[in-house]
Amino acid sequence: MKAKIILKVATRSIMKSRMRSLLTALGIIIGVAAVVVMVAIGDGAQQKVEEQIAMLGSNLIIITPGASNSGGVNRGSGTFNRFTWEDVDKIKNEATLIKGVTHIVQSGGQVIGGVGNWFTRIQGVSPDYLEIRSWPLASGEFFTERDVMARSKVCILGSDVVKNLFPNDDPVGQQIRIRSVPFRVIGVLKSKGQSSVGTSNDDIILAPSRTVGDRLSGDHMRIGSIQVSAISNDRIPAVMAELKSILRESHKLTQGEDDDFTIQDQSDLSATATATSRILTILLASVAGVSLVVGGIGIMNIMLVSVTERTREIGIRLSVGARASDILVQFLTEAIVLSLSGGVIGVLLSFLIAYILNNYTSQSAYIKPQIIMIAFGFAGAIGIFFGFYPARKASALNPIDALRYE
Amino acid sequence: MENILIKTVDLTKTYNVGEIDVHALKSVNITINKGEFVAIMGASGSGKSTLMNLIGCLDMPTSGEYFLDGINTSKLAQNEYANIRNQKIGFVFQGFNLLPRTTALENVELPLMYDRLEKVKDHQKQATEALKKVGLADRMHHIPSQLSGGQQQRVALARALVNEPSLILADEPTGNLDSVTSVEVFHLFQKLNDEGITIVMVTHERDFAAFAKRILEMRDGRVIRDAKIKDRLNAEEELKKAIAEAEIAE
Ligand SMILES: Nc1ncnc2c1ncn2[C@@H]1O[C@H](COP(=O)(O)OP(=O)(O)O)[C@@H](O)[C@H]1O
Ligand SMILES: [Mg+2]
């Protein structure tokens, strides 16, 4: 039989029992939509992470304490598992290819001022911070190197803090108390929006690094990380090498000793983030894949019922000259057409769901073209796999038995 | 010799039902020439349908041989069996056996779809011709449930005719029809036989057997009588009579 006729017969019998066909395809529709949406959510999250990393600022290099391969030998109980002010000063004085360098001293606490109080994140940074992070001020001014050395009690507010403490007034020039220590507000940051993990970038207060280190963090002077900005993108490898030798010297590491710090640029960061979100994507997709297989079993079920129901039809076809192989091909084609149409509807459904997620929720979903191809391929494969057994059963019938079937 | 269409040699069919063997056909030897019109009669269970199914290549004999148009069918593969059903034989059943929810035209096109030689290019035209022959051109787009029993059987006959077979087999074709409608169907059979098509049919009623040219009587899986019909009835005349009677009754 010609392919055209086979397709015609298959679509005819699918259209003749619309309700049954829809129910059969439903499993595939839901399965395909689930797989595509799940993968799209994973990809959407990854895309957001990449955007966030790009937003960190251009040519950013981040240095964190501790060796990168923690699987190695743990030497000397972490003599240099934190950085010192001297590390940063040495970088500032000796590195040649950098635009700026800043400490990041992490702290946090209750802030009182303006109309009430607010719990927020406090970061001790250097004056270079704004340039390194390409983060402009909305008003006021930033502190200087002298403020850092003098441990001045001045601070810059993120826009969320302003919203909560000074909804009506201009905060610049006002006094606030951070963990009971009085600070003077000298500037306000421009709004930057959400971070990849869903928290706000703007819920932050910046203060001179040594002020935070000495007056807020108390005796554990925690320099969480050092951030450096290279003069240009293509100099990043050179800067990283330079930083490595400066810090090795500063930490008095002898030849053969491992680094006790990790230097990463943006591509390293996004590789880490990508790996994390890929695991998430695989996890989500495999859960959804299970539902696709269940959909396939649904097709097999209904096809089996359909073979029984249509035994007479099979007998009639055989009696007018159909071969067993014609019957096999017919039922197999029906299963494949059903599962592929289920795939088409499922993909359309996933576009609708992605649209709703992107426009009405904070979740973002991004449907990659190759995912659609994979979903189709999978739907077709399921049609063949689960359609084969019922089709074989149908084609094995003897014409007389099939005709006599009541 | 080349005039012989059907020849069976010790054709035997035994069904196994659990422990018991049912001997449906016991060494049947018959010869039917081209152009014949044969009626098979006999009590229920005498093996008529079994014989028809074997002649129609719908089933295989337990033993014995069956020659159709000179071909020894017992030596054929399954696919060639299917080809013979498609090319040489048109089958009409008591229960019509039309595809439900499928138009008369599509039902009649069915055998053309399975014609591997693709003798016919325009399926629709060929099917329409066959429907015209049975007088149903105006009902081609009706589905079986919209047709009367007689009309459904005529669609089935059109389907049997569409591949231009040399043999038409009809197993109690009028078993589900009233007598006037039955005579209409026999009228069609006689017309087709006059055109040269060989017809073998099973019927319960002696009156209907008289439309054929020859009668085979079966009992317990054997042919017990084989005779020419002397006072053959003309279905066209019988039909006129029946219609006239019906008018008087009104
Ligand atoms: N598929 C079958 N399985 C078992 N026995 C059968 C089968 N078909 C027919 N028979 C038996 O074979 C005998 C002949 O049946 P059949 O040819 O249908 O008779 P008829 O058509 O003359 O009424 C009957 O006894 C019937 O019960
Ligand atoms: Mg019978």
Side-chain angles (χ1 to χ4, degrees):
Chain A
M1 268 203 297
K2 281 191 225 139
K4 210 175 82 183
I5 295 179
I6 294 171
L7 268 180
K8 200 165 105 183
V9 171
T11 43
R12 254 186 209 168
S13 64
I14 286 169
M15 291 315 278
K16 252 167 216 152
S17 37
R18 268 163 245 252
M19 197 59 201
R20 186 182 66 197
S21 304
L22 186 71
L23 286 174
T24 312
L26 201 61
I28 295 292
I29 294 173
I30 293 171
V32 166
V35 168
V36 174
V37 168
M38 290 304 174
V39 173
I41 287 175
D43 287 343
Q46 183 174 332
Q47 209 186 27
K48 237 180 175 174
V49 167
E50 278 164 11
E51 275 168 21
Q52 289 294 327
I53 290 167
M55 241 166 67
L56 283 178
S58 56
N59 312 329
L60 182 73
I61 295 166
I62 295 179
I63 312 166
T64 46
S68 55
N69 49 344
S70 49
V73 187
N74 193 2
R75 337 155 289 108
S77 66
T79 329
F80 286 108
N81 60 3
R82 62 180 68 157
F83 298 119
T84 60
W85 304 123
E86 287 69 37
D87 286 335
V88 178
D89 290 341
K90 198 168 162 65
I91 290 171
K92 192 177 228 159
N93 296 333
E94 295 179 16
T96 53
L97 299 167
I98 65 171
K99 256 194 305 202
V101 55
T102 177
H103 321 97
I104 304 284
V105 184
Q106 299 283 5
S107 184
Q110 200 71 20
V111 180
I112 302 168
V115 297
N117 61 73
W118 184 245
F119 190 91
T120 189
R121 203 151 53 93
I122 295 142
Q123 269 188 1
V125 299
S126 313
D128 287 348
Y129 182 83
L130 285 191
E131 199 195 340
I132 292 171
R133 301 294 298 266
S134 3
W135 197 350
L137 284 175
S139 65
E141 56 188 21
F142 212 69
F143 47 80
T144 60
E145 193 57 42
R146 187 180 300 167
D147 290 321
V148 175
M149 295 317 290
R151 291 156 175 81
S152 303
K153 287 177 277 185
V154 293
C155 67
I156 316 291
L157 304 186
S159 61
D160 279 1
V161 180
V162 174
K163 243 178 266 163
N164 284 288
L165 295 183
F166 300 97
N168 310 314
D169 317 326
D170 180 9
V172 177
Q174 307 255 24
Q175 286 282 333
I176 59 168
R177 298 171 77 85
I178 303 174
R179 284 164 63 178
S180 310
V181 182
F183 275 78
R184 188 164 53 87
V185 179
I186 59 168
V188 172
L189 288 163
K190 266 221 166 104
S191 175
K192 205 163 188 177
Q194 282 220 328
S195 82
S196 52
V197 280
T199 57
S200 173
N201 279 316
D202 299 320
D203 192 2
I204 195 169
I205 294 177
L206 300 178
S209 49
R210 291 191 189 226
T211 314
V212 175
D214 291 357
R215 298 189 196 267
L216 291 179
S217 297
D219 46 13
H220 28 69
M221 179 193 69
R222 283 200 277 141
I223 301 180
S225 62
I226 301 171
Q227 297 188 358
V228 178
S229 164
I231 52 167
S232 70
N233 199 45
D234 52 336
R235 303 313 278 269
I236 287 176
V239 175
M240 285 170 83
E242 200 174 37
L243 291 172
K244 186 180 158 100
S245 68
I246 292 170
L247 282 174
R248 282 188 71 87
E249 197 184 307
S250 174
H251 290 187
K252 302 191 169 59
L253 296 176
T254 57
Q255 202 146 23
E257 267 184 302
D258 290 335
D259 293 346
D260 56 357
F261 51 85
T262 305
I263 305 180
Q264 287 178 297
D265 68 350
Q266 280 188 51
S267 58
D268 296 328
L269 287 175
S270 51
T272 315
T274 303
T276 316
S277 67
R278 183 159 299 149
I279 290 167
L280 181 78
T281 305
I282 290 169
L283 205 73
L284 290 173
S286 30
V287 170
V290 169
S291 73
L292 198 52
V293 171
V294 171
I297 294 170
I299 281 209
M300 180 159 78
N301 246 318
I302 298 184
M303 290 302 287
L304 279 173
V305 172
S306 164
V307 167
T308 315
E309 228 174 50
R310 289 158 66 190
T311 304
R312 268 187 103 79
E313 176 195 326
I314 295 166
I316 291 167
R317 290 182 184 275
L318 290 170
S319 76
V320 299
R323 294 177 175 187
S325 58
D326 293 331
I327 303 294
L328 179 86
V329 168
Q330 181 193 333
F331 275 79
L332 204 50
T333 310
E334 274 183 38
I336 295 169
V337 168
L338 265 182
S339 54
L340 281 183
S341 340
V344 171
I345 300 173
V347 167
L348 293 179
L349 187 64
S350 67
F351 272 105
L352 182 72
I353 295 172
Y355 178 82
I356 291 169
L357 285 178
N358 285 330
N359 290 282
Y360 300 103
T361 72
S362 62
Q363 193 60 254
S364 71
Y366 168 56
I367 298 176
K368 284 186 187 160
Q370 58 265 46
I371 290 305
I372 297 172
M373 301 316 293
I374 290 170
F376 271 136
F378 219 58
I382 275 178
I384 293 172
F385 188 79
F386 290 106
F388 190 77
Y389 176 64
R392 262 299 293 276
K393 220 183 147 197
S395 68
L397 285 168
N398 159 301
I400 289 299
D401 292 340
L403 279 173
R404 201 178 279 136
Y405 184 84
E406 296 297 332
Chain B
M1 279 303 277
E2 65 187 33
N3 207 26
I4 295 174
L5 183 66
I6 293 170
K7 185 179 164 66
T8 70
V9 181
D10 292 333
L11 204 63
T12 301
K13 181 76 184 179
T14 308
Y15 294 108
N16 285 87
V17 185
E19 302 271 288
I20 311 151
D21 281 351
V22 179
H23 300 281
L25 277 190
K26 302 165 186 164
S27 290
V28 170
N29 292 286
I30 53 169
T31 305
I32 295 172
N33 289 330
K34 287 179 185 161
E36 282 203 77
F37 187 168
V38 180
I40 300 178
M41 294 202 63
S44 184
S46 57
K48 306 180 299 288
S49 293
T50 305
L51 180 60
M52 290 293 269
N53 293 340
L54 291 178
I55 293 175
C57 289
L58 287 170
D59 210 351
M60 301 264 201
T62 312
S63 68
E65 284 179 332
Y66 166 40
F67 296 87
L68 175 65
D69 216 358
I71 303 163
N72 187 352
T73 60
S74 12
K75 298 218 156 61
L76 296 180
Q78 284 290 339
N79 282 346
E80 289 175 274
Y81 246 56
N83 275 356
I84 287 182
R85 290 199 292 270
N86 186 253
Q87 299 292 317
K88 294 195 185 286
I89 299 166
F91 225 110
V92 178
F93 305 90
Q94 177 177 1
F96 318 136
N97 276 338
L98 298 175
L99 293 183
R101 286 169 289 160
T102 304
T103 63
L105 189 66
E106 285 169 5
N107 263 294
V108 175
E109 282 180 24
L110 203 59
L112 298 173
M113 237 162 53
Y114 297 109
D115 176 9
R116 258 149 243 280
L117 303 176
E118 296 180 32
K119 286 182 307 212
V120 177
K121 290 282 166 279
D122 191 342
H123 290 187
Q124 198 161 332
K125 190 171 152 236
Q126 178 90 354
T128 310
E129 287 300 318
L131 280 166
K132 260 187 205 153
K133 236 180 193 162
V134 299
L136 277 181
D138 54 336
R139 297 296 165 93
M140 349 193 251
H141 299 297
H142 288 54
I143 59 172
S145 61
Q146 298 167 332
L147 297 170
S148 72
Q151 288 169 332
Q152 288 186 52
Q153 195 58 298
R154 275 145 71 192
V155 173
L157 184 55
R159 181 180 66 194
L161 288 172
V162 77
N163 258 349
E164 297 167 349
S166 43
L167 174 64
I168 290 214
L169 298 172
D171 192 351
E172 300 193 41
T174 62
N176 291 359
L177 304 178
D178 65 57
S179 53
V180 176
T181 319
S182 300
V183 176
E184 279 174 1
V185 171
F186 290 122
H187 174 46
L188 281 171
F189 278 174
Q190 285 192 337
K191 251 175 50 185
L192 293 168
N193 185 239
D194 291 344
E195 289 170 19
I197 299 176
T198 310
I199 296 176
V200 179
M201 69 172 185
V202 170
T203 180
H204 261 328
E205 299 192 40
R206 207 155 279 279
D207 289 351
F208 292 157
F211 290 115
K213 293 173 177 167
R214 175 183 170 191
I215 188 164
L216 289 176
E217 209 165 314
M218 294 188 68
R219 186 188 295 161
D220 293 336
R222 292 186 209 276
V223 176
I224 55 161
R225 197 168 81 93
D226 182 352
K228 272 210 148 54
I229 289 171
K230 289 182 208 93
D231 310 312
R232 191 177 181 221
L233 291 179
N234 182 314
E236 197 172 358
E237 284 168 15
E238 294 302 309
L239 202 54
K240 276 179 197 154
K241 267 193 243 168
I243 291 166
E245 271 170 31
E247 275 169 3
I248 291 163
E250 275 175 27

